[in-house]
Amino acid sequence: MNGAESLVQTLTDQGVDICFANPGTSEMHFLKALENPRMRSVLCLFEGVCTGAADGYYRMKDTPASTLLHLGPGLANGLANIHNAKRASSGMVNIVGEHSASHLKYDPPLTSDIEGLARPLSHWVRRVESPRAVAWDVAAAVSKASEYPAQIATLILPGDASWQDAGEPVAPPRTVAVAKTPDAARIDHIAKVLRSGEPTLVVLAGRSTRGRALELAGKLKAATGCRLATQFFSARIERGAGRVTLERIPYAVNAAVEYLKGFRHIITVETTEPIAFFSYPDKPSLLKSPGTSVHALAEVGEDGAAGLEMLVDALGATYTPAVLQQRSTSAPPTGALGPASIAQALAAALPEDCVLVDESLTTGRETMGLTVGAARHDLINNMGGSIGYGTPVATGAALACPDRRVFCMVGDGSAMYTIQSLWTQAREGLNITTIIFANNSYAILKAEYAHMGAGAPGERALAMIDIDRPRIDWLAMAKSMGVPAVAVETAEAFHKAMADSVHEAGPCLIEVRL
Amino acid sequence: MNGAESLVQTLTDQGVDICFANPGTSEMHFLKALENPRMRSVLCLFEGVCTGAADGYYRMKDTPASTLLHLGPGLANGLANIHNAKRASSGMVNIVGEHSASHLKYDPPLTSDIEGLARPLSHWVRRVESPRAVAWDVAAAVSKASEYPAQIATLILPGDASWQDAGEPVAPPRTVAVAKTPDAARIDHIAKVLRSGEPTLVVLAGRSTRGRALELAGKLKAATGCRLATQFFSARIERGAGRVTLERIPYAVNAAVEYLKGFRHIITVETTEPIAFFSYPDKPSLLKSPGTSVHALAEVGEDGAAGLEMLVDALGATYTPAVLQQRSTSAPPTGALGPASIAQALAAALPEDCVLVDESLTTGRETMGLTVGAARHDLINNMGGSIGYGTPVATGAALACPDRRVFCMVGDGSAMYTIQSLWTQAREGLNITTIIFANNSYAILKAEYAHMGAGAPGERALAMIDIDRPRIDWLAMAKSMGVPAVAVETAEAFHKAMADSVHEAGPCLIEVRL
């Protein structure tokens, strides 16, 4: 077999059986190797879709996908969503095609410093030096991408390493990552804090916002009266009816400071203490009150569930029942669209076990808190802050969970970044309902302009914030890439469109005209 | 004034009066500073459009534009077209917003190693350390971007340097770049080569494919019988009726080797000897025959026109008239669309002094040679090989030359990379005719698959090359972003659509169904 065949076989042997690809000339042997039926190849029309889809796939499966990118610029196009994935602790294996070693010295036009481009946002970068090394290099990449927290592994594949003979197949062993258990000494200390009765907030992140960890957090709350929250953004939360509901630390600095000031203690689980997303003149970066103490139950990358289990045990709360979220029973809303009616429509329409990808900056920020009583679902946020993450992540999530409907709520400005996702959704027949909140503006920036102390934007500044000239025709945009679409202007129409979308296989788009 | 105001004022003082922007929270003071009426701000919905537009602007004006990008991921989204600009020797000044120094230490979500991301594709990278240094940093950036060959200058602007007091306005001096004159010793040597009568090819690039240099090359040819060519890709060529026509070294390795094998000498002007774009098993990287000698009249960055002037003088050819291209007089074509009829339609429809941006990989490769008899025009190619350069470059070229129609020929696969350009074209009312060659395929890859020795692609490989499921609806795509569009299926309809587009201000799109 040649190097490319060795690569694809090793990927699948190691459990990586999906590849989000946008190939070029130097990857033709890789394409040929993709004839391997164990690998599912998904074509994306822009590399930011590939890397965002790999992120979405990881979020739902906890195992890495691979991407195929064409030399330095192909990698560069995928970097923004690699950044978001890295901040979400999603693992992925990026295969970056490269010129053959013998050709590189002539500095042909597509040459760039691929290692230099990869390193700032990859945890692990390696260049294949020989086709016979490919299998071992791939195994190392998958191993890194599968650690906890997972890593971004980028493997550079020169053309000659791809087409030359790789010898007999080899099967490097698969490694199994084990998260570090938190130090037992911390448990006693934190148990004391919780027994003190002083106001305490437990902030959950990583894998502690789901499954057993979430149940345990509910027991803690029931037993000690502590409150439970997440950062404003979370990689994935299990929420809705029948689950332990987590509060959300506000985004705006003043609101977050106000929210946190009542707590004497903050206990962090797989995260750090709350900080502001951006810096502003005359606003703090650290959001807690000066008198608040921060205690780490589990550092990022440690096993938060194990820490919570020990803590619950230390507090004798193992059999304390958690309070679970009630299903909201309010009827579907009617009338004008606004934060409350949007939330009601969502809460009424979301089907059980759906996945909700949220990149609705302005609209969603005011809405999401009102949807905790929806049927149980998984909620995914943008962890890195680079917009254009939503539609690719929804694409990957839908491929990871073909039996679950994915709802992707996205602002119009964000959607335009990686709108090519719609094409892949149509091509693969993915069960995704894309909800475009069309306010014809980078609306969040109007608020941020004021928060920055810059006052009200003048005409020229506003022209850089409003995207209403021309107004994007979302129905035409969806049609152009083969996705059926509908526009809604009332709460009842929005609810109906969402409910209808559940009954139709494949993607659709709802333009919510605000 | 604050740092942001100092920045915008210094940019305009230094002659940089256009900014392709996609701002975020950390750039709100920059937005406020853009109220300065001397700066034209152009909003782009994706950063790859910003950087590609800056490239196009430079190609036509020979002076740099600026971009405004939002932190590391915003820069990352612009990198592929920065790569293309760098390979075209286009200058640009990238302003990258960044967290305040005081905030950075908390590693907030949007933090990344911006210097690390910038360096592989920038010639010059600097971080503003104080608002009072902004003016000097900007002047240094513009100076670098204005050198010849021009440079990519990237300036990182932390929020606090933007909003803090910059003191009294300062006016750093403007520097004027002067290209180095080629060494006179080379002239004598090359004159001897040309006098020998041995078969010689002069390969022109950089600024030597236009204006006085092009005339001088024509005199050389007339006086010595040498032939004149460009590399397959050129940053900008002045061509068409009344100009000296340059041959084009073929793209395909075998064809290029065949083309070059008759030459005993290759004289290079602002370029290097011809090399293959990609490496292939069993094909050479260097395209010349083993017995061919290469002589550099002007290195990259040297003044090719000065070298040609000295050479023409040495050969006593100053008053030798060059042979100029005749206007082709063939009637507009009718019937089926194919390489020849597409070329005839172009040659008949292109108006005098238009700009032709070519990113039509498969279709254009077979067509362009047949358009040398069109009315005089400027032709722009992709120098870096990263697709998605065409529509942004056309956007920037149209802003640089508001009185000239820009035609952008682009394959469907390439167009999807940075399709957001259409929105900016509609918003700014730019005189751009976008021609989509819709073959529903990364057609070039089918040829490359065979060239690679991979045979005929199987079903799964083909699925990564064809983009016909779903077929992109280009009329809907154009409509979604406010650009009028028409689809054509015959040569006469194509010709008519192009001719019509000249008479209508603002952008339009022609889908050429192949």
Side-chain angles (χ1 to χ4, degrees):
Chain A
M1 55 174 39
N2 65 25
E5 288 159 347
S6 172
L7 185 145
V8 173
Q9 179 169 316
T10 312
L11 278 175
T12 56
D13 284 351
Q14 301 274 326
V16 178
D17 54 9
I18 192 163
C19 181
F20 298 99
N22 188 282
T25 295
S26 43
E27 295 88 52
M28 289 299 101
H29 290 85
F30 190 107
L31 274 204
K32 193 176 171 86
L34 287 178
E35 298 286 345
N36 183 333
R38 291 161 65 205
M39 177 65 85
R40 178 164 187 181
S41 311
V42 178
L43 181 60
C44 305
L45 298 186
F46 180 71
E47 292 89 347
V49 180
C50 298
T51 54
D55 182 9
Y57 190 87
Y58 186 92
R59 301 263 197 133
M60 295 312 299
K61 289 268 244 198
D62 293 325
T63 63
S66 61
T67 68
L68 174 59
L69 311 171
H70 185 48
L71 288 94
L75 170 63
N77 282 332
L79 283 176
N81 273 333
I82 290 176
H83 167 83
N84 287 330
K86 187 182 182 210
R87 291 283 170 166
S89 294
S90 292
M92 72 176 71
V93 177
N94 300 304
I95 310 293
V96 184
E98 166 65 309
H99 292 306
S100 300
S102 62
H103 193 57
L104 210 46
K105 60 175 172 284
Y106 300 110
D107 193 31
L110 254 173
T111 309
S112 64
D113 174 5
I114 302 181
E115 278 90 346
L117 289 166
R119 277 203 190 98
L121 295 167
S122 301
H123 298 88
W124 182 94
V125 180
R126 186 181 290 179
R127 176 177 292 251
V128 174
E129 294 293 347
S130 140
R132 286 171 192 262
V134 166
W136 303 97
D137 291 337
V138 169
V142 176
S143 168
K144 290 291 172 186
S146 307
E147 287 187 5
Y148 188 72
Q151 302 202 357
I152 307 294
T154 300
L155 185 64
I156 302 166
L157 180 70
D160 48 359
S162 188
W163 70 59
Q164 288 171 357
D165 181 30
E168 291 299 306
V170 292
R174 276 179 81 161
T175 55
V176 178
V178 179
K180 205 180 134 214
T181 303
D183 183 7
R186 281 188 233 154
I187 307 299
D188 291 341
H189 165 73
I190 291 171
K192 247 179 249 166
V193 167
L194 285 166
R195 277 195 211 100
S196 74
E198 293 180 325
T200 300
L201 182 69
V202 179
V203 184
L204 301 160
R207 293 191 184 168
S208 297
T209 52
R210 12 178 191 130
R212 178 67 181 158
L214 192 57
E215 285 173 41
L216 290 163
K219 290 176 187 290
L220 268 193
K221 179 179 177 178
T224 71
C226 69
R227 280 163 64 187
L228 306 174
T230 62
Q231 306 280 6
F232 188 75
F233 294 114
S234 297
R236 180 175 147 208
I237 306 177
E238 289 176 354
R239 75 199 284 269
R243 284 178 171 149
V244 173
T245 290
L246 306 174
E247 300 174 48
R248 191 179 193 188
I249 299 173
Y251 181 90
V253 174
N254 291 354
V257 167
E258 181 64 27
Y259 174 85
L260 291 173
K261 80 177 180 193
F263 297 105
R264 176 71 187 82
H265 303 279
I266 292 175
I267 295 170
T268 56
V269 186
E270 301 191 43
T271 187
T272 59
E273 69 167 286
I275 54 168
F277 202 88
F278 286 108
S279 52
Y280 304 82
D282 312 319
K283 293 191 204 291
S285 289
L286 295 179
L287 300 174
K288 69 171 189 289
S289 292
T292 303
S293 301
V294 179
H295 316 272
L297 175 65
E299 306 275 359
V300 174
E302 291 182 338
D303 187 341
L308 287 162
E309 195 89 58
M310 292 189 284
L311 184 60
V312 164
D313 187 47
L315 290 162
T318 305
Y319 300 103
T320 308
V323 176
L324 302 181
Q325 177 67 45
Q326 294 296 305
R327 181 78 172 89
S328 80
T329 52
S330 53
T334 57
L337 286 161
S341 63
I342 288 172
Q344 278 177 286
L346 279 165
L350 293 182
E352 192 136 296
D353 280 328
C354 71
V355 178
L356 187 55
V357 177
D358 184 12
E359 192 177 21
S360 58
L361 302 181
T362 308
T363 308
R365 200 168 286 184
E366 300 168 12
T367 292
M368 278 306 296
L370 306 171
T371 63
V372 290
R376 68 177 183 213
H377 60 276
D378 285 35
L379 173 66
I380 288 175
N381 292 139
N382 185 351
M383 299 301 287
S386 178
I387 65 175
Y389 107 104
T391 62
V393 164
T395 303
L399 280 155
C401 304
D403 299 332
R404 300 172 68 174
R405 187 92 199 161
V406 177
F407 289 79
C408 177
M409 306 198 305
V410 55
D412 43 10
S414 298
M416 282 303 290
Y417 265 59
T418 45
I419 194 62
Q420 302 93 338
S421 308
L422 294 182
W423 184 85
T424 298
Q425 293 174 12
R427 181 180 184 83
E428 301 287 336
L430 303 180
N431 298 320
I432 301 173
T433 304
T434 299
I435 300 164
I436 305 276
F437 290 115
N439 56 19
N440 306 299
S441 173
Y442 292 117
I444 193 171
L445 293 185
K446 290 185 188 166
E448 293 293 80
Y449 202 89
H451 288 154
M452 277 290 171
E459 189 187 339
R460 284 159 177 269
L462 260 185
M464 296 295 104
I465 294 178
D466 283 329
I467 58 173
D468 58 343
R469 288 178 298 118
R471 211 184 138 130
I472 296 161
D473 180 338
W474 287 102
L475 301 185
M477 179 64 80
K479 178 167 186 271
S480 75
M481 288 181 270
V483 171
V486 61
V488 299
E489 297 187 348
T490 63
E492 58 268 32
F494 178 45
H495 174 264
K496 179 174 187 308
M498 281 195 291
D500 288 351
S501 77
V502 174
H503 303 299
E504 202 71 58
C508 68
L509 181 144
I510 302 169
E511 177 190 351
V512 180
R513 294 194 175 149
L514 297 173
Chain B
M1 56 173 36
N2 64 25
E5 288 159 347
S6 172
L7 185 145
V8 173
Q9 179 169 314
T10 310
L11 278 175
T12 56
D13 283 352
Q14 300 274 326
V16 178
D17 54 9
I18 192 163
C19 182
F20 298 100
N22 187 281
T25 296
S26 42
E27 295 88 53
M28 290 298 101
H29 290 85
F30 190 106
L31 274 205
K32 192 176 172 84
L34 287 178
E35 298 286 344
N36 183 333
R38 292 161 65 204
M39 178 64 86
R40 179 165 187 180
S41 312
V42 178
L43 182 59
C44 305
L45 297 187
F46 181 70
E47 292 90 347
V49 180
C50 298
T51 55
D55 182 9
Y57 190 87
Y58 186 93
R59 302 264 196 131
M60 296 312 299
K61 289 268 244 196
D62 293 326
T63 63
S66 61
T67 68
L68 174 59
L69 311 171
H70 185 49
L71 289 94
L75 170 62
N77 282 333
L79 283 175
N81 273 333
I82 289 176
H83 168 82
N84 287 329
K86 186 183 182 209
R87 291 282 169 167
S89 294
S90 292
M92 73 176 71
V93 178
N94 301 305
I95 311 292
V96 183
E98 165 66 308
H99 292 305
S100 300
S102 63
H103 193 58
L104 209 47
K105 62 175 173 281
Y106 300 111
D107 192 32
L110 255 172
T111 308
S112 63
D113 174 5
I114 301 180
E115 278 90 346
L117 289 166
R119 279 203 189 97
L121 295 166
S122 302
H123 299 89
W124 181 94
V125 180
R126 187 180 289 179
R127 175 177 293 251
V128 174
E129 293 292 348
S130 138
R132 285 168 192 264
V134 166
W136 303 97
D137 292 336
V138 169
V142 176
S143 168
K144 291 290 173 187
S146 307
E147 286 187 9
Y148 187 72
Q151 303 202 358
I152 306 295
T154 300
L155 185 63
I156 302 166
L157 180 69
D160 47 358
S162 188
W163 70 60
Q164 288 171 357
D165 182 31
E168 291 300 306
V170 291
R174 275 178 82 162
T175 56
V176 178
V178 179
K180 203 179 136 213
T181 303
D183 183 7
R186 280 188 234 157
I187 308 297
D188 291 341
H189 166 73
I190 291 171
K192 249 179 246 163
V193 167
L194 284 167
R195 279 196 210 97
S196 74
E198 295 180 325
T200 299
L201 182 69
V202 180
V203 184
L204 301 160
R207 292 190 186 169
S208 296
T209 52
R210 6 177 194 135
R212 179 68 182 157
L214 191 55
E215 284 173 41
L216 291 162
K219 290 173 187 293
L220 268 194
K221 177 179 178 178
T224 71
C226 70
R227 279 165 62 190
L228 306 174
T230 63
Q231 306 280 8
F232 187 76
F233 294 114
S234 297
R236 180 175 147 207
I237 307 177
E238 289 176 354
R239 74 198 286 269
R243 284 182 170 144
V244 174
T245 289
L246 306 174
E247 301 175 47
R248 191 179 193 187
I249 300 172
Y251 181 90
V253 173
N254 292 353
V257 167
E258 182 64 26
Y259 174 86
L260 292 173
K261 80 177 178 195
F263 297 105
R264 174 72 187 83
H265 302 279
I266 292 174
I267 296 171
T268 56
V269 187
E270 302 192 42
T271 186
T272 59
E273 69 166 287
I275 53 168
F277 202 90
F278 286 109
S279 52
Y280 304 82
D282 311 320
K283 292 191 204 291
S285 290
L286 294 178
L287 301 174
K288 70 171 187 293
S289 290
T292 303
S293 301
V294 179
H295 317 271
L297 175 65
E299 306 275 1
V300 174
E302 290 182 338
D303 186 342
L308 288 163
E309 196 88 59
M310 291 189 285
L311 185 59
V312 164
D313 187 47
L315 290 162
T318 305
Y319 300 103
T320 308
V323 177
L324 302 182
Q325 176 68 45
Q326 296 295 303
R327 180 78 172 93
S328 81
T329 52
S330 53
T334 56
L337 285 162
S341 63
I342 288 172
Q344 280 176 281
L346 280 164
L350 293 181
E352 193 138 294
D353 281 329
C354 71
V355 178
L356 187 55
V357 177
D358 184 12
E359 191 176 22
S360 58
L361 301 181
T362 308
T363 309
R365 199 168 286 184
E366 301 169 11
T367 291
M368 279 305 296
L370 307 170
T371 63
V372 289
R376 67 175 186 216
H377 61 276
D378 284 36
L379 173 66
I380 288 176
N381 291 139
N382 185 351
M383 299 301 287
S386 178
I387 64 174
Y389 108 105
T391 62
V393 163
T395 304
L399 280 155
C401 305
D403 299 333
R404 300 172 68 174
R405 187 92 199 163
V406 177
F407 289 79
C408 177
M409 306 199 304
V410 56
D412 42 10
S414 298
M416 281 303 290
Y417 264 59
T418 45
I419 194 61
Q420 302 92 340
S421 308
L422 295 182
W423 184 84
T424 297
Q425 293 175 11
R427 180 180 184 83
E428 301 287 336
L430 303 180
N431 297 320
I432 301 172
T433 305
T434 299
I435 300 164
I436 305 277
F437 290 116
N439 56 18
N440 306 299
S441 174
Y442 292 116
I444 193 171
L445 294 185
K446 289 183 189 166
E448 293 292 81
Y449 201 89
H451 288 153
M452 277 289 171
E459 187 187 341
R460 283 159 179 269
L462 261 185
M464 296 295 104
I465 293 177
D466 283 330
I467 59 172
D468 58 343
R469 289 179 297 118
R471 212 184 139 131
I472 294 161
D473 180 337
W474 287 101
L475 302 184
M477 180 64 81
K479 178 168 188 270
S480 75
M481 288 181 270
V483 172
V486 61
V488 300
E489 297 186 347
T490 64
E492 60 268 32
F494 178 44
H495 175 264
K496 180 175 186 305
M498 279 194 291
D500 288 350
S501 77
V502 175
H503 304 299
E504 203 70 58
C508 68
L509 181 144
I510 302 170
E511 178 189 351
V512 180
R513 293 194 175 149
L514 297 173

Coordinates of all heavy atoms in Angstrom, one line a residue, chain A residues 10 23 42 65 74 144 170 253 272-273 386 440 464 480:
Chain A
T10 N -5.0 3.5 8.8 CA -4.7 3.7 10.2 C -5.7 4.6 10.9 O -6.1 4.3 12.1 CB -3.3 4.3 10.3 OG1 -2.4 3.6 9.5 CG2 -2.8 4.3 11.8
P23 N -10.2 18.8 -0.9 CA -8.9 18.4 -1.4 C -8.4 19.3 -2.6 O -9.2 20.0 -3.2 CB -9.2 17.0 -1.9 CG -10.6 17.0 -2.4 CD -11.3 18.0 -1.5
V42 N -16.9 13.5 3.7 CA -17.9 14.6 3.5 C -17.2 15.8 2.9 O -16.3 16.4 3.5 CB -18.5 14.9 4.9 CG1 -19.5 16.0 4.8 CG2 -19.1 13.7 5.6
A65 N -13.0 13.6 14.7 CA -13.1 13.4 13.3 C -11.8 13.9 12.7 O -10.9 14.5 13.3 CB -14.2 14.2 12.8
G74 N -5.3 26.3 2.8 CA -6.4 25.5 3.1 C -6.5 25.3 4.7 O -7.6 25.5 5.2
K144 N -3.3 11.9 20.5 CA -3.3 13.3 21.0 C -4.7 13.8 20.9 O -5.2 14.4 21.9 CB -2.4 14.2 20.2 CG -0.9 13.9 20.4 CD -0.5 14.3 21.8 CE 1.0 13.8 22.0 NZ 1.4 14.0 23.4
V170 N 0.8 -1.8 8.8 CA 1.1 -2.0 10.3 C -0.1 -1.5 11.1 O -0.9 -0.8 10.6 CB 2.4 -1.2 10.7 CG1 3.6 -1.8 10.0 CG2 2.2 0.3 10.3
V253 N -20.5 42.6 31.5 CA -19.6 42.7 32.7 C -20.4 43.2 33.9 O -20.3 42.6 35.0 CB -18.4 43.6 32.4 CG1 -17.6 43.8 33.6 CG2 -17.5 43.0 31.3
T272 N -12.1 27.8 34.9 CA -11.4 28.8 35.8 C -12.4 29.7 36.3 O -13.6 29.7 36.0 CB -10.3 29.5 35.0 OG1 -11.0 30.2 33.9 CG2 -9.2 28.6 34.4
E273 N -12.0 30.7 37.2 CA -12.9 31.6 37.7 C -13.5 32.5 36.5 O -12.8 32.7 35.5 CB -12.3 32.5 38.7 CG -11.2 33.5 38.3 CD -10.9 34.5 39.3 OE1 -11.7 35.4 39.6 OE2 -9.8 34.4 39.9
S386 N -15.0 33.2 17.8 CA -14.9 33.5 16.4 C -16.2 33.2 15.7 O -16.6 32.0 15.7 CB -13.7 32.8 15.8 OG -13.6 33.1 14.4
N440 N -30.5 42.1 10.4 CA -29.8 43.0 9.4 C -28.8 43.9 10.0 O -28.6 45.0 9.6 CB -30.9 43.8 8.6 CG -31.9 43.0 8.0 OD1 -31.6 42.1 7.2 ND2 -33.2 43.1 8.5
M464 N -20.7 50.4 9.3 CA -19.9 49.2 9.5 C -20.5 48.2 10.5 O -20.0 47.1 10.7 CB -18.5 49.6 10.1 CG -17.6 50.5 9.3 SD -17.1 49.7 7.7 CE -18.2 50.5 6.6
S480 N -30.3 28.6 -3.2 CA -29.1 28.5 -4.0 C -28.3 27.2 -3.6 O -27.6 26.7 -4.5 CB -28.2 29.7 -3.8 OG -27.5 29.7 -2.6

